[in-house]
Amino acid sequence: MASVSGKVDPVVRRITATDIAEALGRGLRDFQAMPLYGLAFGALYAAGGIVILLSLTAFGMVYLAYPLAAGFALIGPFVAIGLYEVSRRREAGEPISISGIWAMVRSRGELGWMAFVTLFIFLIWMYQVRLLIALLLGLNASFATLPQFITVVLTTNEGLLFLAIGNAVGAALSLILFSLTVVSFPLLLDRDVDFVTAMVTSVRAVVTSPLPMIGWAAVIVVLLIVSALPYFLGLLVTLPVLGHATWHLYRRIVAPLPD
């Protein structure tokens, strides 16, 4: 089957939970072998979360910290691009350097379109949270502290409805973005394909192995949210391990090109 660019579509293979466990093990070994790169990208991701959280505090919108932490997991695949390249180079026995990683990422123009898709869905997530707050908790709803917001959400009918609808919408957006990006980012880094083909291949991967892939999505979301709770500091380790593991899972999902 030909892709949008006229090239043959990548071959997608079925995976199991064992493949996910092995990918996590390989991801951990990559992080142990090249910890400075992992810590650097993890620190960049954590610093972004801290800056956004401080901005929310400065503007009196600290009550958005929880949806931010949940939505922040959506842009993880984009931030982890450099980690995919580290794993790719280590696997291929190529030298690893920041300049080399940056040059490779810049040479893949289609990654920019995937980044746009990722950030667009993240913005939709944050806007729908604000819309639900206005509709269910009041048009001018504002909370001085995060505990005050949590109290309202957990002790009022409107708050519980907001929590239920917000989590349902968030789960749907997360599943959509996961399906579009779980394979597409490493595929675009690895091969010369267009971003539409990459997204279609990613969706095919999820459809081919729905239960293992949804399980992988749940692992990513839970680990990133838990890691984000202590002021995003847990992301220093969680992001690089998950990023490296995603590369190795991609290698199991997408069959290599024939020689």
Side-chain angles (χ1 to χ4, degrees), residues 9-13 15 77 84 114 174-188 193-210 213-214 216 246 249-250 253-254:
D9 278 335
V11 176
V12 172
R13 298 181 291 197
I15 65 166
Y84 307 151
M114 282 308 307
S174 297
L175 182 59
I176 291 172
L177 188 59
F178 172 80
S179 299
L180 293 175
T181 62
V182 63
V183 164
S184 56
F185 276 112
L187 177 59
L188 288 172
V193 298
D194 59 272
F195 81 100
V196 175
T197 297
M199 289 193 295
V200 171
T201 303
S202 191
V203 173
R204 286 171 52 214
V206 175
V207 173
T208 301
S209 308
M213 294 302 284
I214 290 176
W216 176 235
T246 297
L249 191 60
Y250 152 75
I253 293 172
V254 178

Side-chain angles (χ1 to χ4, degrees), residues 102-240:
W102 176 242
M104 183 62 178
V105 172
R106 286 190 61 188
S107 69
R108 301 299 192 186
E110 295 291 313
L111 285 172
W113 288 107
M114 282 308 307
F116 172 79
V117 171
T118 300
L119 294 176
F120 179 71
I121 294 181
F122 175 71
L123 290 176
I124 290 177
W125 161 250
M126 293 306 297
Y127 272 111
Q128 70 86 23
V129 168
R130 196 66 186 92
L131 176 63
L132 287 177
I133 289 177
L135 291 176
L136 299 176
L137 303 183
L139 186 60
N140 299 313
S142 180
F143 306 91
T145 64
L146 181 59
Q148 181 184 355
F149 173 71
I150 294 176
T151 299
V152 171
V153 167
L154 296 180
T155 60
T156 66
N157 292 333
E158 295 81 2
L160 292 173
L161 184 60
F162 163 79
L163 192 63
I165 296 176
N167 285 333
V169 173
L173 287 176
S174 297
L175 182 59
I176 291 172
L177 188 59
F178 172 80
S179 299
L180 293 175
T181 62
V182 63
V183 164
S184 56
F185 276 112
L187 177 59
L188 288 172
L189 198 61
D190 188 40
R191 302 185 190 178
D192 184 19
V193 298
D194 59 272
F195 81 100
V196 175
T197 297
M199 289 193 295
V200 171
T201 303
S202 191
V203 173
R204 286 171 52 214
V206 175
V207 173
T208 301
S209 308
L211 292 180
M213 294 302 284
I214 290 176
W216 176 235
V219 169
I220 292 174
V221 171
V222 170
L223 287 179
L224 288 181
I225 290 178
V226 171
S227 301
L229 294 180
Y231 300 99
F232 297 94
L233 296 180
L235 297 172
L236 291 172
V237 174
T238 303
L239 179 74

